[in-house]
Amino acid sequence: MSSLDRRTLLRTGLAAGVGLTGAGLFARAGSAAGSAADATAGSAAGSLAGPAAGPAWIPRDRPVLTHGVQSGDATADSALVWTRADRPSRLLVEVSRRPDFRGARRLRGPLLAPGSDFTGKLRLTDLPPGERLHYRVRAASLDRPGLCSEPLTGILRTAPAPGRRADVRFVWTGDIVGQGWGIDPDFGGLRIFRAMRDRRPDFFLCSGDTVYSDGPLAETVTLPDGRVWRNLVTPEKSKVAETLAEYRGQFAYNLLDEHLRAFAAEVPQVNQWDDHEVLNNWYPGEILDDPRYTQQRVDVLAARSRQAFAEWVPSPAGERIHRRMSYGRSLDLFVLDMRTYKDPNDGNTYPDPRRGLLGAQQRAWLIRELKRSRATWKIIANDLPLGLVVPDGPAAQEGVAQGDDGAPLGRELEFAEVLREAHRAGVTGIVFLTADVHYTAAHHYDPARAAVGDFAPFWEFVSGPAHAGAFGPNALDGTFGPEAVFVHAPPRANTSPAEGYQHFGEVSIDGGSGALTVHLRDRDGASLWSTTLPAARG
């Protein structure tokens, strides 16, 4: 099917819902704005408009699950299950140890209604720890009792029981559909998700930039070698997102990819957000000067994006993004939110320790929870790198570092406090994981090389993008004594996914020895570099 034919089908509503392994396109009904903030902005048509999506449409058949199933935030005894229907309906879920669902527990979920774009989540509780479980999802008609959608099935693994030293394996990356590189089936679509699925991880950590709301897609892009990249384009991906419907369409677009849908159905997610869920390098209170936007107040755009994120991502809705996830005695994962409380981007050389990326409450939470943790490994998921310089124009800084190799300044002050307090409390096993900069690297930090010495040596591993333009490498700031032990970066800025340089990382913890092994992998799963870190004694 040609690119034009695909777009024609999308816009005329001839697409039909399919299963996880079916061929075809997903039907998506148009949705109400669902927010007072969008009342005047209007609501864009759904990416994949269903048959006459609007008040005149009367359902004549069973509901359709339009974008697969997902699971997320799986603990030792609970997990979230997500889906979306094409009309108002009721979410029904079964969960079982058995793939044939004999003796399955049946649960009644929330209404899938226009106010949530027909998405819904249900937290499964009282689950057995450390087990592979099967779930099956349907949408029940509200107009014809007993009539349900065709089922979709998924798999999730719960975390090990508290206190148990168990094997843990997970993958991480970020930066999905960025810099104009969308879904082109002829180049394999979002094929990195197939490689990550093949690793059979216990969960997936998405390190932010889950979507690119500020990255419109062109129909075609000519590559340096003359080949043509042909994007699948939907209305919401043809301009920057501003309305709630357009932000919803960013998440809906990514789930058009068969590899991502199959991965999401089998691997529980832990999601954090960064900037491109809203727009590049944003911070609270910012006022734009960008002619692409009719709405210049970033706080308004961020609220709409946050609602779409809560609706479409299998994370706890209405709760803070920063949280701790525990995996027995092997791992505590600290998921940071370096965007919601962020101070304005400037030269990042101020002496005020009250400013920063985390905010006072999140910073105190992180220090407190690191001290309380009894896990062998304390992994901090930071959506902005610690030591890499990430400029925002010629004079401002987007990230923690600013390129001054001396004593901590600006946003470095709060991380100096975190590292100092953890070190003085005897906290061991700290590792940072990030994405953001669109290449993969391993950085070792040592106080012997640093301008400040009150911390224990640690590693930060960088891996990405999942599917976006590749960039880098960025300069390292010497304040915390980093050494670039390994770097894999492209030959030029915005190298396309067709040329490779797409990456994910894999972490494996041995429950017996406590050793942690990191592999930095390419989009096909080949290991580019690895290291094994022994557990701290005692």
Side-chain angles (χ1 to χ4, degrees), residues 195-427:
M196 291 195 293
R197 180 186 176 206
D198 289 344
R199 301 304 305 166
R200 297 180 64 86
D202 298 327
F203 67 92
F204 165 52
L205 168 64
C206 187
S207 300
D209 293 341
T210 53
V211 296
Y212 274 71
S213 299
D214 58 342
L217 299 177
E219 295 180 2
T220 61
V221 183
T222 301
L223 302 175
D225 61 4
R227 292 179 296 170
V228 177
W229 183 281
R230 302 182 187 279
N231 282 314
L232 174 64
V233 181
T234 62
E236 292 90 342
K237 292 298 295 183
S238 64
K239 65 178 292 292
V240 296
E242 298 181 83
T243 67
L244 175 58
E246 288 166 351
Y247 279 111
R248 286 166 167 169
Q250 310 304 306
F251 296 93
Y253 178 86
N254 288 0
L255 286 169
L256 296 178
D257 181 77
E258 61 178 334
H259 303 306
L260 176 53
R261 291 196 312 273
F263 177 78
E266 294 187 10
V267 182
Q269 303 169 35
V270 176
N271 284 281
Q272 58 190 147
W273 75 340
D274 191 27
D275 57 336
H276 290 286
E277 285 83 359
V278 182
L279 56 88
N280 188 47
N281 295 350
W282 74 275
Y283 52 83
E286 182 180 8
I287 303 298
L288 296 178
D289 182 16
D290 188 332
R292 299 178 301 165
Y293 289 86
T294 59
Q295 174 56 260
Q296 300 285 327
R297 293 176 297 164
V298 169
D299 288 352
V300 174
L301 299 174
R304 294 169 182 169
S305 173
R306 180 67 179 268
Q307 181 175 338
F309 183 90
E311 292 169 348
W312 281 83
V313 171
S315 295
E319 298 182 21
R320 65 191 191 191
I321 290 175
H322 68 276
R323 60 203 186 276
R324 184 177 86 171
M325 303 288 297
S326 295
Y327 300 85
R329 283 293 296 273
S330 297
L331 170 65
D332 276 344
L333 177 65
F334 299 88
V335 182
L336 300 187
D337 179 357
M338 303 173 79
R339 195 59 54 177
T340 301
Y341 315 102
K342 185 181 186 186
D343 62 349
N345 290 348
D346 57 18
N348 195 25
T349 58
Y350 53 79
D352 187 354
R354 294 170 297 178
R355 290 181 57 181
L357 294 165
L358 303 179
Q361 184 178 12
Q362 184 179 189
R363 183 164 63 248
W365 163 84
L366 179 58
I367 292 170
R368 181 179 66 250
E369 295 302 311
L370 284 171
K371 291 179 179 179
R372 288 178 177 175
S373 175
R374 295 297 175 263
T376 303
W377 295 99
K378 296 90 174 168
I379 292 183
I380 299 175
N382 49 312
D383 48 289
L384 285 168
L386 188 61
L388 289 170
V389 180
V390 184
D392 181 18
Q397 297 296 329
E398 156 75 350
V400 178
Q402 75 291 96
D404 184 321
D405 295 339
L409 295 170
R411 295 163 179 159
E412 294 169 335
L413 292 168
E414 63 181 346
F415 284 93
E417 180 185 354
V418 170
L419 294 171
R420 179 178 65 250
E421 291 297 317
H423 179 51
R424 292 180 178 179
V427 177

